[in-house]
Amino acid sequence: SLHDALPISDEVLETFAELALERGSVYCVAEELAAPDLPIPDVEFGRVVSGDAALVPLDDWPQVEAAWEQARLLAQIEGVASTHTAALKSPGGEVQILALAAMARRSLVARVLLARRGRRWRREEVQEIEGLGARLALALHARALQARTEALYRRSDHVARTLQQSLLPDGIPDLPSCELAVRFTPAGEGDLVGGDFYDVFAVGDDQWAIVIGDVCGKGAQAAAVTAMARWTLRSLAGSPRPPTAALRALNEAMLRQDLDGRFITVAYALLSVHAGEAHLTVACAGHPPAILVSEDAEPARLDAHGDVLGIWPQIRLEQVELRLAPGESLVLYTDGVTDQGPGAERSPEHALRELAVGPGAGALADALQAEVERSSPFPRDDVAIVVLRYVPPGTGRVTLARTERHRVIPA
């Protein structure tokens, strides 16, 4: 049956040709046509020739094409499959031609030319061929819909990947006396642009901003807000300002835009390294709290709380100042780490606590990533993780490193 599956078009056409030859045809040409209302990029259309081609000499093809043209015009006028018959004179007797224009959903999807010598086509034979043609048309149309859906998915998947990549920094810079590790996993199978982002950039001459954020929603609108937020924060980097001031400036910029109710959460850490000491100032605007990981204490959340950005003109923001001891780390992450649903019962602190003493930045990032993947190989939300570890010269235990890893989804 032509409806048992959705094989490639040549197989569908070959099945039709076999059925036509079984019903008295001696020669069959069946070919798929491109429906103007259902364009399919990068797809070859099928064509099958079966039977005795010598039955229709090349000189007689203009008459065959004229029969096809009559069937095509009638089909397009009436919106249903149509046929037209013609008789060709030949030394061996008349050759009877049956041209069929196959329609599906008012689109012309195939043309069929049948030929045999001798008796004319009876009405019941024409009706049977029209029935086969209707089944052929539906099978080809279903195949075209499937092929177009797959092509659109590949295109949207490519656009999503390209757009997502454009929202992330090209690379992460070297920070003085620090390890920096980044992990980023898009939600689902990576085919929809999410709102998670991270960035690391210089502020003034001797400070560095480490930023992670999450825009409400997904898709193009969320991507636009993500891009605006990231570049607004970068535009403020010319002159040093506290994290709370940078976040207030971003809030004001968002309120000047029509964001359709979208808001953003951000964790902003400002790093300075002087005279063998690393100082951090951290602020969170509605974002999951940063975690301080020390070798001689339990992982601890920093009490830097605040409101989300993009909703209210007056917002509450707190910031925490701390000095990183050698080997201590600051862990920033988005809520994709904690919002994986059933199975993700362990807190980020618990996952980090199980590591051996003195883990590198990459090991800490991998621990959180593994906790997410333990819940689901394709998380429901984007996951972004940034880990900063202070390793001053002379510690002699860890080689300075920068690691950045994005999960690549197979196409």
Side-chain angles (χ1 to χ4, degrees):
S1 169
L2 294 175
H3 291 293
D4 288 343
L6 293 177
I8 61 173
S9 59
D10 278 356
E11 293 175 344
V12 175
L13 295 169
E14 286 172 0
T15 301
F16 175 89
E18 291 174 4
L19 295 173
L21 294 179
E22 290 173 0
R23 285 156 176 76
S25 299
V26 177
Y27 178 56
C28 174
V29 178
E31 57 185 324
E32 183 182 16
L33 302 176
D37 62 332
L38 195 63
I40 309 173
D42 304 323
V43 172
E44 293 185 5
F45 294 97
R47 186 175 190 271
V48 169
V49 178
S50 185
D52 185 7
L55 195 63
V56 183
L58 186 61
D59 292 344
D60 290 337
W61 268 100
Q63 298 178 65
V64 176
E65 292 290 352
W68 155 251
E69 190 63 20
Q70 290 295 319
R72 183 188 67 81
L73 290 173
L74 184 60
Q76 291 185 326
I77 291 172
E78 297 186 354
V80 295
S82 300
T83 57
H84 187 79
T85 59
L88 306 179
K89 302 295 183 180
S90 72
E94 282 189 339
V95 174
Q96 306 299 327
I97 300 297
L98 174 60
L100 166 68
M103 302 282 288
R105 307 292 190 268
R106 303 188 69 84
S107 293
L108 188 63
V109 297
R111 83 166 187 165
V112 175
L113 300 170
L114 303 177
R116 71 183 182 195
R117 195 181 299 279
R119 58 187 176 85
R120 296 178 182 272
W121 300 95
R122 299 192 305 272
R123 179 177 179 81
E124 58 269 22
E125 291 179 310
V126 173
Q127 289 176 340
E128 187 174 14
I129 293 298
E130 287 177 343
L132 289 176
R135 292 159 61 192
L136 168 69
L138 288 175
L140 290 176
H141 190 72
R143 177 259 182 186
L145 284 171
Q146 181 182 26
R148 184 169 186 267
T149 300
E150 291 172 353
L152 290 174
Y153 176 82
R154 289 192 299 270
R155 182 182 301 171
S156 64
D157 179 63
H158 174 73
V159 170
R161 293 172 194 275
T162 302
L163 183 54
Q164 185 83 71
Q165 193 61 38
S166 71
L167 300 175
L168 302 175
D170 294 333
I172 54 177
D174 287 312
L175 302 188
S177 302
C178 291
E179 290 179 346
L180 194 61
V182 173
R183 303 292 181 265
F184 182 84
T185 304
E189 297 188 6
D191 54 349
L192 186 62
V193 181
D196 285 20
F197 71 96
Y198 66 88
D199 207 352
V200 181
F201 51 89
V203 176
D205 296 329
D206 57 359
Q207 292 182 305
W208 299 87
I210 301 98
V211 180
I212 195 167
D214 185 1
V215 173
C216 169
K218 298 186 183 301
Q221 290 180 318
V225 178
T226 300
M228 186 272 288
R230 181 174 167 230
W231 291 108
T232 297
L233 291 175
R234 275 186 169 256
S235 70
L236 302 173
S239 57
R241 66 185 72 195
T244 52
L247 294 178
R248 291 186 190 281
L250 174 58
N251 186 59
E252 293 170 2
M254 293 181 67
L255 292 175
R256 290 194 294 267
Q257 308 290 324
D258 181 11
L259 301 182
D260 194 27
R262 294 184 184 274
F263 59 86
I264 187 172
T265 71
V266 181
Y268 189 119
L270 187 64
L271 168 72
S272 62
V273 180
H274 295 292
E277 291 188 345
H279 293 269
L280 276 172
T281 305
V282 182
C284 289
H287 200 81
I291 298 175
L292 178 66
V293 179
S294 304
E295 296 184 6
D296 56 357
E298 292 286 303
R301 299 187 178 196
L302 299 184
D303 292 326
H305 306 291
D307 298 325
V308 299
L309 307 181
I311 301 295
W312 306 287
Q314 301 297 325
I315 55 174
R316 175 184 59 87
L317 291 174
E318 301 171 356
Q319 66 184 27
V320 172
E321 296 185 3
L322 66 151
R323 181 178 66 85
L324 285 182
E328 286 188 328
S329 300
L330 182 75
V331 179
L332 305 176
Y333 56 95
T334 57
D335 61 6
V337 172
T338 55
D339 291 350
Q340 294 306 313
E345 300 172 353
R346 304 194 321 172
S347 67
E349 298 97 308
H350 193 145
L352 298 172
R353 185 183 304 127
E354 290 191 346
L355 293 177
V357 174
L364 292 170
D366 288 340
L368 290 188
Q369 184 73 38
E371 186 65 22
V372 174
E373 294 173 354
R374 187 177 294 112
S375 171
S376 171
F378 297 108
R380 298 178 304 171
D381 197 3
D382 293 346
V383 174
I385 302 166
V386 179
V387 179
L388 170 76
R389 186 178 187 225
Y390 179 48
V391 191
T395 56
R397 290 179 297 171
V398 181
T399 302
L400 296 187
R402 297 178 303 134
T403 63
E404 182 176 21
R405 189 177 305 156
H406 297 175
R407 193 185 73 184
V408 178
I409 309 296

